[in-house]
């Protein structure tokens, strides 16, 4: 379908596609086995200026937006969901600085992130604070010109490999959610170390680690916005970044569909390619329709964000919810079309099913997305009824 | 270092179809790309520039649409593109093409090194690079797989090179200015960057005609081309052989008769 992309957007998409197809594809199997941060491909993306697509030109970016970020993420995920999230998670760590950073903070951190020389990461999740992001226990105590951070973050994408982290910590325990604040913490800050590296079901080409803070002294200048803004920073960042996860899911779905179509044309049973059987054809038709519907939603939401509309929480959640459910469904069906071969790790498709699952879980589980959608829906209805 | 890269726009060979009536390439709808071997020449030029500073100029001779190949080279980091385009160049063989390119390069002024891919994937002649060196009276090294060292003494530069020959490789030294043709072992070409692509989109391509480069009209186009293509044809495709079945003795007897029939 023609999504009326501008010349620049086509350029961004085609460049990401070229790197994904020509460079990433031959590396995927090895990357999967190594389960390490994909430095080589990240360097290629950096050299191609793709880390800065959504960052203002003033800070070394290309000055485009969330939509372009989604195009790149989608193309990478079409080949490898893990590499796509390593790329997109850097943007997740950069978004709070773009949204809430002071001019000094932007000047200091954005150029490195835009060039891809430094990777970003965002850390909210803790062992006892997953969907309930308000239950975090990491503290930040003010001490003169510094905040002293103590606590543990876990399941942090790019943890250990990223250099610039945005950390949510409590500055005032008594205020609950309203007592949290956001801090930029650089790798190498004394008292900031890394713990366990997770072994995951999927997205194995990305790294996920614990972040440990033990009397970690963070300069006051690294506080984002002001004290108490932590929860807002988190929510606004996720509103901005969810289309990125949705684009990752969309790419996984498209990649799985690509493989399923290709395989069904080659695999011969009962003397014919299985693509000639209606049972397979109908599956492919449903998969393709779902992928296109997801793309329509993801692109529309990304464009809405770029148009400056501040009220995107509901739509952003819808895009993430729908695209990730589609990714899971399409990847599972693609494995089914591969039959027994699909279950074997020698074939490329099982990875898509493993990679798809996480998109229904992270950046807010799909149950949380439904809560966000419903809450906003009811709020809108209430506002409309008051107007009458 | 003043570096010139000669490139050729060629049809993507993964997509080649031949018209069975006149045995010519069907060009309609075929994607054009930079000759893959020239990508290594571009990369080596960019690497030399990154080490020694200077300028990389990419030159091609071709129809107006060859401009796209120059823009792609600029998106990879080349500084400027020159398109030699003129009806008078049409029909040039490798001799006339190397002459036209040499005249274009002359107009660019003092050059330190000219790099070409070892050959183009459409013609496979590997003659244009060496041809340029002869027209410009510069030393040449073909099939270069490594620039080992760049020596400098009394303001004169020399390359120490490794070149591939049939039975191994040769190490040689060549004074600059010179012409090199490179093989794919020499490097791994880079990907374009977004900033490069933006720059390429806006870049002004220098366009020169035969007159602009003061080309002798007897040396270009069909007039300057001693090679004449008399006929192009697709070799007849092999038809499947005949399989004989049955008792070995009968089969041998039958086979003998068949072979006799063929000979007679």
């Amino acid at each position: 379908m023609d999504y009326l992309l501008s010349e620049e957007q086509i350029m961004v998409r085609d460049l990401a596609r070229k790197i994904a197809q020509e460079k990433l594809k031959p590396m995927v199997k090895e990357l999967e086995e190594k389960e390490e941060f994909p430095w080589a491909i990240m360097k290629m993306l950096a050299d191609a200026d793709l880390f800065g697509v959504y960052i203002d030109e003033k800070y070394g970016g290309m000055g485009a937006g969330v939509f372009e970020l989604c195009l790149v993420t989608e193309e990478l995920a079409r080949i490898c969901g893990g590499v796509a999230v390593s790329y997109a998670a850097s943007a997740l760590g950069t978004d709070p600085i773009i949204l809430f950073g002071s001019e000094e903070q932007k000047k200091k951190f954005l150029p490195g992130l835009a060039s891809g020389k430094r990777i970003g990461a965002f850390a909210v999740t803790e062992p006892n604070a997953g969907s309930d992001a308000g239950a975090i226990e990491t503290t930040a105590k003010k001490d003169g010109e510094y905040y002293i951070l103590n606590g543990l973050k876990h399941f942090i994408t790019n943890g250990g490999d990223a250099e610039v982290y945005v950390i949510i910590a409590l500055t005032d325990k008594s205020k609950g959610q309203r007592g949290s604040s956001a801090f930029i913490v650089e790798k190498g800050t004394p008292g900031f170390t890394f713990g366990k590296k997770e072994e995951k079901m999927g997205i194995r080409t990305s790294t996920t680690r614990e972040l440990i803070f033990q009397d970690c002294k963070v300069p006051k200048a690294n506080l984002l916005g002001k004290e108490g803004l932590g929860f807002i920073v988190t929510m606004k960042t996720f509103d901005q970044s969810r289309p990125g996860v949705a684009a990752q899911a969309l790419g996984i779905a498209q990649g799985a569909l690509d493989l399923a179509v290709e395989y069904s044309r080659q695999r011969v049973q009962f003397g014919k390619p299985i693509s000639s059987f209606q049972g397979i054809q109908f599956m492919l038709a449903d998969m393709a329709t779902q992928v296109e519907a997801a793309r329509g939603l993801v692109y529309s939401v990304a464009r809405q964000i770029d148009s400056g509309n501040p009220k995107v929480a509901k739509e952003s959640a819808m895009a993430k919810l729908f695209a990730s459910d589609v990714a899971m469904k399409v990847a599972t069906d693609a494995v089914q079309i591969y039959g027994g071969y699909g279950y074997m790790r020698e074939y490329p498709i099982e990875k898509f099913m493993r990679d798809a699952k996480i998109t229904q879980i992270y950046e807010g589980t799909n149950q949380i997305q439904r809560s966000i959608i419903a809450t906003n829906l009811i709020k809108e209805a209430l506002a409309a009824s008051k107007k009458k | 270092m003043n570096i010139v890269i000669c490139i050729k726009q060629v049809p993507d060979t993964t997509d080649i179809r031949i018209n069975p009536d006149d045995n010519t390439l069907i060009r309609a709808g075929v994607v054009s790309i930079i000759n893959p071997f020239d990508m290594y020449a571009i990369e080596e030029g960019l690497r030399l520039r990154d080490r020694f500073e200077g300028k990389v100029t990419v030159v091609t001779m071709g129809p107006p649409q060859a401009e796209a190949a120059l823009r792609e080279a600029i998106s990879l980091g080349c500084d400027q593109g020159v398109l030699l385009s003129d009806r008078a160049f049409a029909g040039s063989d490798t001799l006339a093409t190397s002459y036209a390119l040499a005249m274009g390069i002359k107009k660019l002024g003092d050059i330190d090194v000219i790099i070409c891919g070892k050959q183009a994937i459409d013609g496979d002649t590997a003659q244009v690079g060496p041809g340029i060196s002869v027209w410009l009276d510069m030393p040449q090294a073909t099939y270069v797989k490594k620039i080992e060292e760049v020596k400098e003494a009394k303001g004169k530069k020399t390359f120490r090179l490794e070149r591939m020959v049939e039975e191994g490789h040769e190490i040689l030294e060549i004074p600059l200015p010179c012409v090199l043709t490179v093989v794919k072992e020499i490097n791994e070409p880079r990907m374009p960057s977004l900033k490069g692509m933006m720059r390429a989109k806006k870049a002004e391509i220098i366009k020169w005609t035969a007159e602009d480069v003061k080309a002798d009209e007897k040396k270009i186009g069909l007039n300057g081309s001693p090679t004449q293509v008399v006929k192009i044809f697709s070799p007849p495709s092999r038809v499947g052989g005949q399989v004989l079945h049955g008792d070995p003795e009968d089969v041998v007897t039958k086979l003998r008769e068949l072979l006799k029939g063929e000979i007679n």
Side-chain angles (χ1 to χ4, degrees), chain A residues 6-16 45-46 48-69 71-72 87 98 110-111 113-116 306, chain B residues 193-199 201-202:
Chain A
S6 69
E7 213 178 311
E8 280 80 14
Q9 286 161 348
I10 291 171
M11 206 186 262
V12 169
R13 183 198 62 191
D14 290 353
L15 181 56
L45 297 173
D49 304 320
L50 290 172
F51 271 98
V53 278
Y54 60 99
I55 297 173
D56 201 317
E57 283 171 290
K58 209 162 89 177
Y59 309 111
M62 186 191 143
V66 171
F67 188 34
E68 285 75 4
L69 177 73
L71 290 173
V72 177
Y87 167 78
I98 294 175
L110 292 183
L113 291 159
S115 68
D306 290 337
Chain B
S193 69
L194 276 181
K195 282 174 193 158
M197 287 164 91
M198 298 286 188
R199 208 166 57 78
K201 215 179 93 179
K202 291 182 204 141

Side-chain angles (χ1 to χ4, degrees), chain B residues 216-243:
Chain B
D216 178 348
E217 60 182 26
K218 287 190 215 78
K219 290 182 180 163
I220 55 171
L222 283 173
N223 293 338
S225 300
T227 317
Q228 283 179 28
V229 180
V230 181
K231 189 182 170 193
I232 301 176
F233 62 94
S234 308
S237 52
R238 288 178 186 220
V239 284
Q242 194 182 344
V243 181

Side-chain angles (χ1 to χ4, degrees), chain B residues 24-246:
Chain B
T24 55
L25 284 181
I26 299 174
R27 290 196 180 260
V30 177
V31 179
S32 292
I33 56 169
I34 294 179
N35 173 41
F37 292 115
D38 300 346
M39 297 299 277
Y40 301 95
I42 292 171
E43 179 65 34
E44 205 54 29
L46 294 174
R47 287 184 187 191
L48 283 174
R49 184 197 60 190
D50 292 346
R51 272 170 70 190
F52 300 100
E53 296 187 339
K55 191 168 165 186
V56 177
T57 304
V58 55
V59 182
T60 194
M61 186 187 91
Q65 57 266 32
E67 194 181 316
L70 295 172
R71 288 195 191 278
E72 190 184 336
I74 292 171
S75 80
L76 293 166
C78 294
D79 298 285
Q80 64 175 3
V82 177
L83 174 64
L84 303 176
S85 198
D86 196 319
R87 281 188 178 280
F89 291 136
S92 293
D93 67 359
T94 54
L95 185 72
T97 301
S98 58
Y99 171 74
L101 287 167
M103 293 308 283
I105 293 166
K106 238 184 209 173
K107 192 174 158 80
L108 284 169
D110 284 342
I111 300 297
D112 294 296
V113 58
I114 298 161
I115 312 177
C116 309
K118 69 162 181 164
Q119 66 198 52
I121 56 165
D122 55 354
D124 276 334
T125 65
Q127 289 169 351
V128 172
I132 293 169
S133 92
V134 173
W135 288 113
L136 293 176
D137 198 20
M138 284 183 189
Q140 56 167 301
T142 51
Y143 307 106
V144 174
K145 65 180 274 200
K146 194 175 180 189
I147 297 180
E148 281 190 345
E149 210 184 329
V150 183
K151 294 180 178 178
E152 195 162 2
K154 293 176 191 164
K156 292 235 172 196
K157 284 197 180 74
T158 309
F159 282 142
R160 193 180 158 84
L161 305 168
E162 202 175 310
R163 70 181 283 261
M164 286 176 71
V165 288
E166 256 177 62
E167 282 148 358
H169 62 263
E170 278 177 6
I171 291 174
L172 54 93
E173 287 187 2
I174 185 168
L176 270 57
C178 64
V179 178
L180 310 179
T181 79
V182 298
V183 292
K184 66 178 181 0
E185 286 76 8
I186 197 167
N187 57 43
E188 198 189 332
R190 67 192 64 188
M191 285 274 162
S193 69
L194 276 181
K195 282 174 193 158
M197 287 164 91
M198 298 286 188
R199 208 166 57 78
K201 215 179 93 179
K202 291 182 204 141
E204 189 120 349
I205 301 293
I206 301 165
K207 290 169 192 161
W208 286 337
T209 60
E211 200 188 324
D212 291 333
V213 298
K214 300 193 173 68
D216 178 348
E217 60 182 26
K218 287 190 215 78
K219 290 182 180 163
I220 55 171
L222 283 173
N223 293 338
S225 300
T227 317
Q228 283 179 28
V229 180
V230 181
K231 189 182 170 193
I232 301 176
F233 62 94
S234 308
S237 52
R238 288 178 186 220
V239 284
Q242 194 182 344
V243 181
L244 304 175
H245 296 278

Side-chain angles (χ1 to χ4, degrees), chain A residues 21 43 51 77 87-88 144 161 170 174 203 211 222 234 238-239 252 292 308 318 346 366 385:
Chain A
Q21 301 276 350
K43 168 134 193 352
F51 271 98
Y87 167 78
D161 295 298
L170 293 172
S174 66
I203 54 167
L211 314 184
N222 285 17
T234 306
F238 281 149
D239 286 352
I252 292 171
E292 214 54 71
M318 284 174 168
E346 192 187 335
N366 280 6
S385 69

Side-chain angles (χ1 to χ4, degrees), chain B residues 13-27:
Chain B
T13 44
T14 54
D15 196 23
I16 283 283
R17 281 166 303 145
I18 305 277
N19 184 343
D21 299 331
D22 58 3
N23 288 304
T24 55
L25 284 181
I26 299 174
R27 290 196 180 260

